[in-house]
Amino acid sequence: MAPDCAVEGAVAAPVPMDSVRGSLTPNAPLAKLVWFKAGGAADWLFEPADLDDLREFLARLRGELPVMALGLGSNLIVRDGGVPGVVVRLGKAFATVVDKGEHVLRCGGGASGILVSSSARDAGIAGLEFLRGIPGTVGGFVRMNGGAYGREVADVLLDCEVILPGGELVRLPAADLRYTYRHSVLPEGAVVVSARLQGTPGDPAEIGAEMDRIAQAREESQPLRTKTGGSTFKNPPDDKAWRLVDAAGCRGLRKGGAQVSEKHTNFLINTGDATSADIEGLGEEVRRRVYAETGVMLEWEIQRVGRP
Protein backbone atom coordinates (compact mmCIF):
# COMPACT_ATOMS: atom_id res chain seq x y z
CA MET A 1 0.00 0.00 0.00
CA ALA A 2 1.34 3.43 -0.84
CA PRO A 3 2.12 5.73 2.07
CA ASP A 4 -0.26 8.49 3.02
CA CYS A 5 0.21 10.86 5.94
CA ALA A 6 2.03 8.10 7.80
CA VAL A 7 5.10 8.39 5.65
CA GLU A 8 8.58 8.39 7.13
CA GLY A 9 9.24 11.37 9.35
CA ALA A 10 5.52 12.17 9.47
CA VAL A 11 5.80 14.16 6.26
CA ALA A 12 2.37 14.64 4.74
CA ALA A 13 1.96 13.37 1.20
CA PRO A 14 1.43 16.12 -1.39
CA VAL A 15 -1.91 14.59 -2.45
CA PRO A 16 -4.41 12.15 -0.88
CA MET A 17 -3.02 8.66 -1.52
CA ASP A 18 -6.17 6.61 -1.00
CA SER A 19 -6.60 4.20 -3.95
CA VAL A 20 -3.25 5.26 -5.47
CA ARG A 21 -1.41 1.97 -5.89
CA GLY A 22 2.12 3.11 -6.67
CA SER A 23 4.82 3.92 -4.13
CA LEU A 24 5.55 7.44 -2.93
CA THR A 25 8.82 8.08 -1.10
CA PRO A 26 9.77 11.37 0.55
CA ASN A 27 13.34 12.70 0.42
CA ALA A 28 14.32 9.85 -1.92
CA PRO A 29 18.05 9.56 -2.75
CA LEU A 30 18.58 9.72 -6.52
CA ALA A 31 22.34 9.12 -6.79
CA LYS A 32 21.89 5.36 -7.00
CA LEU A 33 19.38 5.81 -9.85
CA VAL A 34 21.60 7.87 -12.16
CA TRP A 35 24.69 6.80 -14.07
CA PHE A 36 26.97 9.38 -12.45
CA LYS A 37 26.12 7.96 -8.98
CA ALA A 38 26.11 11.49 -7.57
CA GLY A 39 23.59 14.11 -6.55
CA GLY A 40 20.88 14.81 -4.01
CA ALA A 41 17.42 13.54 -3.21
CA ALA A 42 14.00 14.06 -4.76
CA ASP A 43 11.50 15.82 -2.52
CA TRP A 44 9.17 13.01 -3.61
CA LEU A 45 9.76 9.93 -5.76
CA PHE A 46 6.61 8.38 -7.26
CA GLU A 47 6.74 4.96 -8.91
CA PRO A 48 3.30 4.35 -10.45
CA ALA A 49 1.76 0.90 -10.64
CA ASP A 50 0.52 1.49 -14.20
CA LEU A 51 -0.81 4.13 -16.57
CA ASP A 52 -4.14 4.68 -14.76
CA ASP A 53 -2.29 5.01 -11.47
CA LEU A 54 0.01 7.68 -12.88
CA ARG A 55 -2.90 9.59 -14.39
CA GLU A 56 -4.79 9.56 -11.09
CA PHE A 57 -1.76 10.73 -9.12
CA LEU A 58 -0.94 13.58 -11.50
CA ALA A 59 -4.59 14.62 -11.71
CA ARG A 60 -4.65 14.94 -7.93
CA LEU A 61 -1.42 16.91 -8.03
CA ARG A 62 -3.12 19.40 -10.40
CA GLY A 63 0.19 20.83 -11.57
CA GLU A 64 0.84 22.35 -8.14
CA LEU A 65 4.33 20.81 -7.83
CA PRO A 66 7.04 20.45 -10.47
CA VAL A 67 7.12 16.99 -12.07
CA MET A 68 10.16 15.38 -13.68
CA ALA A 69 10.29 11.95 -15.33
CA LEU A 70 13.34 9.78 -14.65
CA GLY A 71 14.36 6.94 -16.95
CA LEU A 72 17.66 5.11 -16.69
CA GLY A 73 19.36 8.28 -15.45
CA SER A 74 21.98 8.13 -18.19
CA ASN A 75 21.83 11.67 -19.57
CA LEU A 76 21.43 13.47 -16.29
CA ILE A 77 23.23 15.46 -13.62
CA VAL A 78 21.13 15.62 -10.45
CA ARG A 79 22.51 18.57 -8.54
CA ASP A 80 23.60 18.07 -4.95
CA GLY A 81 20.72 20.06 -3.46
CA GLY A 82 18.20 17.59 -4.83
CA VAL A 83 15.16 17.91 -7.07
CA PRO A 84 12.10 19.93 -6.00
CA GLY A 85 8.62 18.53 -6.44
CA VAL A 86 7.95 15.00 -7.69
CA VAL A 87 10.25 12.73 -9.67
CA VAL A 88 8.28 10.06 -11.56
CA ARG A 89 10.10 6.81 -12.27
CA LEU A 90 8.44 4.47 -14.75
CA GLY A 91 8.86 0.78 -13.89
CA LYS A 92 8.08 -2.56 -15.53
CA ALA A 93 4.50 -1.65 -16.39
CA PHE A 94 5.89 0.96 -18.79
CA ALA A 95 8.69 -1.19 -20.25
CA THR A 96 6.68 -3.21 -22.77
CA VAL A 97 7.32 -3.39 -26.53
CA VAL A 98 4.54 -4.68 -28.79
CA ASP A 99 4.64 -5.43 -32.52
CA LYS A 100 1.58 -3.66 -33.96
CA GLY A 101 2.06 -4.90 -37.53
CA GLU A 102 3.07 -2.89 -40.60
CA HIS A 103 6.59 -2.75 -39.08
CA VAL A 104 5.40 -0.55 -36.21
CA LEU A 105 6.39 -1.05 -32.57
CA ARG A 106 4.44 0.41 -29.67
CA CYS A 107 6.93 1.02 -26.89
CA GLY A 108 6.34 1.95 -23.26
CA GLY A 109 8.03 5.08 -21.99
CA GLY A 110 10.18 3.01 -19.65
CA ALA A 111 11.47 0.61 -22.33
CA SER A 112 15.22 0.78 -22.92
CA GLY A 113 16.84 1.38 -26.27
CA ILE A 114 18.35 -2.10 -26.09
CA LEU A 115 14.93 -3.69 -25.52
CA VAL A 116 13.35 -1.75 -28.39
CA SER A 117 16.08 -2.58 -30.89
CA SER A 118 16.15 -6.23 -29.82
CA SER A 119 12.37 -6.48 -30.18
CA ALA A 120 12.61 -4.91 -33.62
CA ARG A 121 15.27 -7.44 -34.63
CA ASP A 122 13.14 -10.35 -33.46
CA ALA A 123 10.15 -9.01 -35.43
CA GLY A 124 12.20 -8.46 -38.59
CA ILE A 125 11.88 -4.67 -38.36
CA ALA A 126 14.87 -2.72 -39.67
CA GLY A 127 15.70 0.95 -39.13
CA LEU A 128 15.68 0.93 -35.32
CA GLU A 129 19.14 -0.58 -34.84
CA PHE A 130 20.58 2.80 -33.80
CA LEU A 131 18.53 2.68 -30.60
CA ARG A 132 20.98 -0.02 -29.45
CA GLY A 133 23.47 2.82 -29.11
CA ILE A 134 21.30 5.11 -26.96
CA PRO A 135 21.72 4.43 -23.23
CA GLY A 136 18.27 5.48 -22.13
CA THR A 137 14.54 4.87 -22.25
CA VAL A 138 11.88 5.69 -24.81
CA GLY A 139 10.56 8.55 -22.69
CA GLY A 140 13.95 10.22 -22.55
CA PHE A 141 14.96 9.84 -26.15
CA VAL A 142 11.51 10.87 -27.43
CA ARG A 143 11.76 14.04 -25.35
CA MET A 144 15.26 14.99 -26.52
CA ASN A 145 15.26 13.50 -30.02
CA GLY A 146 17.96 11.03 -29.04
CA GLY A 147 20.22 9.77 -31.78
CA ALA A 148 23.29 7.75 -32.59
CA TYR A 149 25.20 6.48 -35.62
CA GLY A 150 23.58 8.81 -38.12
CA ARG A 151 19.95 8.34 -37.10
CA GLU A 152 17.65 10.03 -34.60
CA VAL A 153 14.19 9.51 -33.11
CA ALA A 154 12.68 12.11 -35.46
CA ASP A 155 13.41 9.66 -38.30
CA VAL A 156 11.25 6.87 -36.84
CA LEU A 157 8.64 8.37 -34.48
CA LEU A 158 5.00 8.24 -35.61
CA ASP A 159 3.45 9.61 -32.43
CA CYS A 160 3.68 9.44 -28.66
CA GLU A 161 1.33 9.47 -25.70
CA VAL A 162 2.12 11.86 -22.87
CA ILE A 163 0.48 12.71 -19.59
CA LEU A 164 0.41 16.44 -19.00
CA PRO A 165 1.09 17.81 -15.51
CA GLY A 166 -2.64 17.96 -14.72
CA GLY A 167 -3.19 14.28 -15.55
CA GLU A 168 -4.56 14.62 -19.10
CA LEU A 169 -3.45 11.88 -21.50
CA VAL A 170 -2.83 13.16 -25.04
CA ARG A 171 -1.47 11.64 -28.23
CA LEU A 172 0.96 13.86 -30.11
CA PRO A 173 2.02 13.22 -33.71
CA ALA A 174 5.75 13.56 -34.28
CA ALA A 175 5.27 16.84 -36.14
CA ASP A 176 3.85 18.45 -32.98
CA LEU A 177 7.16 17.90 -31.17
CA ARG A 178 8.94 20.16 -33.69
CA TYR A 179 12.14 18.22 -33.41
CA THR A 180 15.54 19.82 -33.86
CA TYR A 181 18.94 18.45 -32.89
CA ARG A 182 18.55 16.90 -29.40
CA HIS A 183 15.48 19.02 -28.68
CA SER A 184 11.68 18.93 -28.74
CA VAL A 185 8.96 21.32 -27.59
CA LEU A 186 7.40 18.85 -25.13
CA PRO A 187 6.31 20.91 -22.14
CA GLU A 188 8.13 20.64 -18.84
CA GLY A 189 6.44 18.14 -16.56
CA ALA A 190 4.90 16.10 -19.38
CA VAL A 191 5.61 12.38 -18.97
CA VAL A 192 6.03 10.29 -22.12
CA VAL A 193 4.24 7.00 -21.43
CA SER A 194 4.42 5.38 -24.89
CA ALA A 195 5.56 5.91 -28.45
CA ARG A 196 4.96 4.29 -31.83
CA LEU A 197 8.07 3.79 -33.93
CA GLN A 198 8.04 3.00 -37.64
CA GLY A 199 10.59 0.68 -39.21
CA THR A 200 10.94 -1.17 -42.50
CA PRO A 201 11.05 -4.87 -43.42
CA GLY A 202 14.39 -6.45 -42.63
CA ASP A 203 16.25 -9.69 -42.09
CA PRO A 204 16.75 -10.48 -38.37
CA ALA A 205 20.27 -11.74 -38.97
CA GLU A 206 21.31 -8.55 -40.76
CA ILE A 207 19.59 -6.38 -38.15
CA GLY A 208 21.38 -8.29 -35.38
CA ALA A 209 24.72 -7.88 -37.12
CA GLU A 210 24.23 -4.11 -37.33
CA MET A 211 23.28 -3.99 -33.64
CA ASP A 212 26.44 -5.94 -32.79
CA ARG A 213 28.49 -3.49 -34.85
CA ILE A 214 26.99 -0.56 -32.94
CA ALA A 215 27.57 -2.26 -29.58
CA GLN A 216 31.20 -2.97 -30.47
CA ALA A 217 31.78 0.58 -31.70
CA ARG A 218 30.44 1.95 -28.41
CA GLU A 219 32.57 -0.42 -26.37
CA GLU A 220 35.72 0.54 -28.26
CA SER A 221 35.19 4.30 -28.26
CA GLN A 222 33.29 5.16 -25.06
CA PRO A 223 34.07 4.74 -21.35
CA LEU A 224 31.05 2.52 -20.76
CA ARG A 225 32.39 0.80 -17.67
CA THR A 226 32.71 4.01 -15.67
CA LYS A 227 30.31 6.27 -13.80
CA THR A 228 29.47 8.57 -16.69
CA GLY A 229 26.48 10.32 -18.19
CA GLY A 230 26.80 9.75 -21.90
CA SER A 231 27.64 12.47 -24.40
CA THR A 232 28.17 15.69 -22.48
CA PHE A 233 27.92 18.35 -25.18
CA LYS A 234 25.99 18.68 -28.40
CA ASN A 235 28.00 18.49 -31.60
CA PRO A 236 28.26 21.97 -33.14
CA PRO A 237 27.29 22.29 -36.81
CA ASP A 238 29.88 20.59 -39.01
CA ASP A 239 32.12 19.62 -36.11
CA LYS A 240 32.44 17.16 -33.23
CA ALA A 241 32.34 18.18 -29.58
CA TRP A 242 35.03 15.66 -28.65
CA ARG A 243 37.45 17.15 -31.19
CA LEU A 244 37.00 20.66 -29.82
CA VAL A 245 37.43 19.45 -26.22
CA ASP A 246 40.62 17.65 -27.23
CA ALA A 247 41.90 20.67 -29.17
CA ALA A 248 41.45 22.80 -26.06
CA GLY A 249 43.73 20.45 -24.11
CA CYS A 250 41.01 19.11 -21.84
CA ARG A 251 41.60 15.35 -22.22
CA GLY A 252 42.01 14.00 -18.67
CA LEU A 253 41.21 17.38 -17.04
CA ARG A 254 40.03 16.98 -13.44
CA LYS A 255 37.94 18.87 -10.90
CA GLY A 256 37.54 17.17 -7.55
CA GLY A 257 36.45 13.61 -8.28
CA ALA A 258 35.31 14.43 -11.82
CA GLN A 259 37.43 13.92 -14.92
CA VAL A 260 37.20 14.37 -18.69
CA SER A 261 37.49 10.85 -20.06
CA GLU A 262 40.83 9.98 -21.64
CA LYS A 263 39.04 7.48 -23.88
CA HIS A 264 36.40 9.84 -25.29
CA THR A 265 36.68 13.53 -24.47
CA ASN A 266 32.95 14.23 -24.81
CA PHE A 267 32.36 12.08 -21.73
CA LEU A 268 32.76 13.20 -18.13
CA ILE A 269 33.33 10.52 -15.50
CA ASN A 270 33.00 10.23 -11.74
CA THR A 271 36.30 8.68 -10.68
CA GLY A 272 34.83 7.63 -7.34
CA ASP A 273 33.84 10.47 -5.04
CA ALA A 274 32.76 13.30 -7.33
CA THR A 275 29.92 15.55 -6.31
CA SER A 276 27.51 16.76 -8.94
CA ALA A 277 29.02 20.21 -8.42
CA ASP A 278 32.40 18.74 -9.40
CA ILE A 279 30.93 17.21 -12.56
CA GLU A 280 28.95 20.26 -13.65
CA GLY A 281 31.81 22.58 -12.72
CA LEU A 282 34.22 20.55 -14.81
CA GLY A 283 31.83 20.74 -17.74
CA GLU A 284 31.64 24.52 -17.41
CA GLU A 285 35.44 24.75 -17.27
CA VAL A 286 35.65 22.68 -20.45
CA ARG A 287 33.15 25.00 -22.13
CA ARG A 288 35.22 28.01 -21.05
CA ARG A 289 38.46 26.54 -22.37
CA VAL A 290 36.94 25.42 -25.66
CA TYR A 291 35.50 28.90 -26.21
CA ALA A 292 38.83 30.55 -25.39
CA GLU A 293 40.66 28.22 -27.78
CA THR A 294 38.19 27.95 -30.68
CA GLY A 295 35.51 30.61 -30.29
CA VAL A 296 32.83 27.87 -30.12
CA MET A 297 30.55 27.82 -27.05
CA LEU A 298 29.56 24.19 -26.56
CA GLU A 299 25.97 23.49 -25.52
CA TRP A 300 25.18 20.95 -22.83
CA GLU A 301 23.54 17.77 -24.06
CA ILE A 302 23.33 16.26 -20.58
CA GLN A 303 20.31 17.52 -18.65
CA ARG A 304 21.16 19.28 -15.36
CA VAL A 305 18.33 19.40 -12.85
CA GLY A 306 17.67 20.40 -9.26
CA ARG A 307 19.10 22.74 -6.69
CA PRO A 308 22.84 23.51 -6.55
Side-chain angles (χ1 to χ4, degrees):
M1 191 69 181
D4 48 25
C5 291
V7 295
E8 181 183 348
V11 180
V15 297
M17 293 298 291
D18 54 290
S19 78
V20 174
R21 292 165 288 120
S23 66
L24 181 68
T25 307
N27 195 32
L30 296 179
K32 63 184 178 181
L33 302 180
V34 300
W35 278 29
F36 274 123
K37 303 303 178 195
D43 288 358
W44 297 95
L45 176 67
F46 182 58
E47 298 173 279
D50 53 31
L51 177 62
D52 289 340
D53 198 42
L54 178 57
R55 290 189 67 184
E56 178 63 25
F57 178 83
L58 292 179
R60 294 183 188 189
L61 205 57
R62 296 183 302 188
E64 292 177 1
L65 287 177
V67 172
M68 185 192 90
L70 175 66
L72 295 183
S74 57
N75 192 250
L76 192 65
I77 293 173
V78 172
R79 293 182 173 122
D80 299 306
V83 179
V86 179
V87 172
V88 173
R89 189 168 185 238
L90 303 183
K92 290 182 179 179
F94 296 87
T96 57
V97 179
V98 179
D99 181 358
K100 302 301 287 185
E102 303 296 323
H103 313 106
V104 172
L105 291 182
R106 185 180 187 275
C107 311
S112 69
I114 291 177
L115 176 61
V116 175
S117 56
S118 299
S119 300
R121 174 199 62 208
D122 296 346
I125 299 173
L128 304 181
E129 297 90 342
F130 74 99
L131 297 175
R132 174 66 180 83
I134 302 180
T137 57
V138 167
F141 54 65
V142 165
R143 171 175 284 280
M144 68 173 293
N145 192 19
Y149 301 95
R151 301 270 282 165
E152 58 187 11
V153 169
D155 298 328
V156 298
L157 182 71
L158 292 175
D159 52 38
C160 62
E161 288 186 316
V162 306
I163 301 182
L164 299 176
E168 182 186 3
L169 178 68
V170 298
R171 182 185 296 275
L172 301 175
D176 285 9
L177 302 185
R178 289 163 39 196
Y179 276 140
T180 53
Y181 176 61
R182 302 294 180 267
H183 179 74
S184 76
V185 297
L186 266 180
E188 288 295 317
V191 179
V192 178
V193 292
S194 73
R196 290 195 310 146
L197 307 179
Q198 175 73 64
T200 57
D203 175 64
E206 294 178 4
I207 295 167
E210 174 64 7
M211 287 172 58
D212 290 345
R213 185 193 70 79
I214 288 171
Q216 183 176 355
R218 290 187 70 230
E219 181 71 38
E220 291 175 353
S221 66
Q222 300 175 11
L224 300 181
R225 303 184 189 284
T226 63
K227 300 171 186 174
T228 185
S231 296
T232 305
F233 304 112
K234 299 177 181 179
N235 288 325
D238 304 318
D239 210 336
K240 296 291 186 183
W242 74 264
R243 191 196 70 77
L244 294 170
V245 175
D246 214 15
C250 295
R251 185 181 295 266
L253 186 67
R254 288 176 174 262
K255 179 179 175 61
Q259 180 182 13
V260 176
S261 170
E262 305 247 13
K263 189 172 186 178
H264 191 311
T265 53
N266 198 26
F267 284 65
L268 304 181
I269 59 176
N270 176 356
T271 63
D273 60 352
T275 63
S276 288
D278 289 340
I279 298 165
E280 186 172 7
L282 177 60
E284 290 295 343
E285 175 63 14
V286 168
R287 295 178 74 227
R288 187 191 69 77
R289 293 191 184 196
V290 167
Y291 183 73
E293 180 69 25
T294 68
V296 175
M297 182 58 76
L298 291 173
E299 292 183 40
W300 283 91
E301 182 170 322
I302 285 177
Q303 305 299 302
R304 294 152 297 135
V305 300
R307 313 174 185 96

